[in-house]
Amino acid sequence: MNVLVTGAAGFIGSHTCERLVQLGHTVTGIDNFSPYYDRALKQLNAEAIKHVGVTLIEADLRSAPLAEILPEKIDVLFHFAAHPGISATSSFEDYYTNNIIATQRLLDVFETRTHKPFIVNIATSSIYGLEATLTEDQAPLPASWYGVTKLGAEQLVLAYSRRNIIKGCSLRLYSVYGPRERPDKLYTRLIKNGLNDEAFPLFEGSEKHLRSFTYVQDIVDGIVSTIDHQEVCDGEIFNLGTEEENTTAAGIATTEKILGKKIAIDHKPARPGDQSRTKANINKARQLLKYNPQTSLEDGLKAQVDWYKNNF
């Protein structure tokens, strides 16, 4: 199949590109190399996916002439591109334009084409709100600009499915970690600070937060499984993550165990909108997608530590 991946040079997008190539698909990626974090890190990911044969387009979904630059025949679209996380330096406009306007511009292009792709929207557990423990059919209560705008993007894709314009589904991902994790995320910062004897900034109360920390390759298993289940996926939402819960404190302790050293802590005020608990209810994905994450937190973190040491 001909597959398009937006946000292809990002953390999960780049891993998905590699898996799709391994499965025999022809993959085109698009990424705007956002300054949200160091371009050099995305460039590492970009070189990795280009090395395995991915064609990578550098363009901004909010402004680029998409009808002209995107391949004419796309069978499946994996839409990762978004303004991520909870950031005090990001405006509402950053989230709105990157997450909602960019999604609508993609839909506008594919609505006019004869050959329409199956669209897999990559969403987030932040859609659920401060406690992400719900099933897919329960009402979400997002509490951050990120969660609100990702819910908006998800509903745009599903609206096109409801109207029988373009088939598609949405995947809500839970606390993904592993090699290539963004530098602002928990484990990359823990590993960096531990190896460099720097204090890790810990937001007040977050050591007690519960998370479904999910290894990236387990997440990719679920993402690519949608290709073979398009009929049952159309119009649906799926949670993808592990059912195992760990506190942030346990994550810190596991990282310290792997590094063989204590990590200094710099205590910071609590962040508004941060989730206190995520626990992935994956019964639906298990049943319909045969999704079955297996990687333990310690095994996944060992792989991430090895990646960090090899690259930095």
Side-chain angles (χ1 to χ4, degrees):
M1 288 187 177
N2 295 310
V3 182
L4 174 66
V5 178
T6 71
F11 167 36
I12 311 172
S14 62
H15 283 288
T16 301
C17 284
E18 289 176 329
R19 180 74 68 83
L20 290 166
V21 171
Q22 291 170 6
L23 292 171
H25 301 293
T26 300
V27 182
T28 300
I30 186 168
D31 203 292
N32 71 346
F33 290 84
S34 163
Y36 184 84
Y37 61 90
D38 188 356
R39 180 188 174 103
L41 299 177
K42 274 199 169 186
Q43 200 63 49
L44 281 175
N45 300 344
E47 293 305 318
I49 63 175
K50 287 192 286 188
H51 179 72
V52 299
V54 175
T55 300
L56 185 60
I57 301 167
E58 182 174 351
D60 193 322
L61 297 177
R62 298 172 295 177
S63 57
L66 300 181
E68 299 173 19
I69 65 175
L70 296 180
E72 188 62 35
K73 186 176 185 295
I74 299 168
D75 300 306
V76 180
L77 162 62
F78 290 99
H79 180 37
F80 289 90
H83 193 81
I86 300 172
S87 171
T89 61
S90 296
S91 67
F92 178 75
E93 185 178 5
D94 291 329
Y95 290 101
Y96 173 67
T97 58
N98 280 287
N99 299 352
I100 294 180
I101 297 300
T103 302
Q104 183 60 49
R105 293 191 81 236
L106 280 169
L107 291 166
D108 284 344
V109 170
F110 294 121
E111 181 178 5
T112 65
R113 292 188 173 180
T114 302
H115 187 85
K116 294 176 172 58
F118 185 83
I119 298 179
V120 182
N121 178 68
I122 305 301
T124 167
S125 66
S126 292
I127 282 173
Y128 287 119
L130 298 178
E131 290 207 3
T133 60
L134 305 180
T135 59
E136 295 89 343
D137 58 355
Q138 292 178 279
L141 299 167
S144 64
W145 289 342
Y146 176 56
V148 167
T149 55
K150 287 296 285 179
L151 176 60
E154 174 180 274
Q155 289 302 311
L156 281 171
V157 172
L158 295 178
Y160 277 68
S161 169
R162 294 177 194 121
R163 292 157 57 198
N164 295 313
I165 299 171
I166 306 172
K167 293 182 182 296
C169 66
S170 190
L171 309 178
R172 295 174 178 172
L173 311 188
Y174 279 72
S175 302
V176 189
Y177 73 96
R180 302 179 188 162
E181 185 185 54
R182 295 198 323 263
D184 60 307
K185 297 290 283 181
L186 173 64
Y187 289 114
T188 299
R189 288 199 296 176
L190 277 171
I191 294 164
K192 173 183 179 291
N193 292 6
L195 290 174
N196 294 294
D197 296 315
E198 299 169 351
F200 173 75
L202 185 67
F203 296 101
E204 182 182 350
S206 63
E207 70 279 1
K208 298 178 182 178
H209 289 176
L210 283 162
R211 291 285 184 269
S212 286
F213 293 122
T214 311
Y215 187 58
V216 63
Q217 294 299 338
D218 285 339
I219 282 288
V220 173
D221 287 346
I223 291 169
V224 301
S225 71
T226 57
I227 292 178
D228 297 323
H229 297 89
Q230 292 181 30
E231 289 304 315
V232 296
C233 287
D234 183 35
E236 298 292 339
I237 297 167
F238 294 91
N239 294 333
L240 295 184
T242 178
E243 293 161 311
E244 178 185 337
E245 285 184 286
N246 283 281
T247 62
T248 300
I252 293 171
T254 304
T255 306
E256 290 176 331
K257 176 183 176 182
I258 294 166
L259 295 178
K261 63 194 302 185
K262 292 291 288 183
I263 299 172
I265 299 297
D266 177 18
H267 294 278
K268 300 284 189 183
R271 290 192 302 183
D274 209 357
Q275 292 174 299
S276 60
R277 184 186 181 201
T278 70
K279 186 181 190 303
N281 184 318
I282 57 172
N283 292 337
K284 184 176 179 179
R286 282 192 185 279
Q287 179 182 356
L288 298 181
L289 302 180
K290 310 306 177 188
Y291 179 60
N292 188 30
Q294 294 288 305
T295 309
S296 70
L297 180 61
E298 184 168 349
D299 286 344
L301 283 177
K302 285 178 180 176
Q304 186 166 345
V305 168
D306 287 344
W307 166 79
Y308 192 91
K309 288 180 176 179
N310 290 335
N311 286 279
F312 302 104

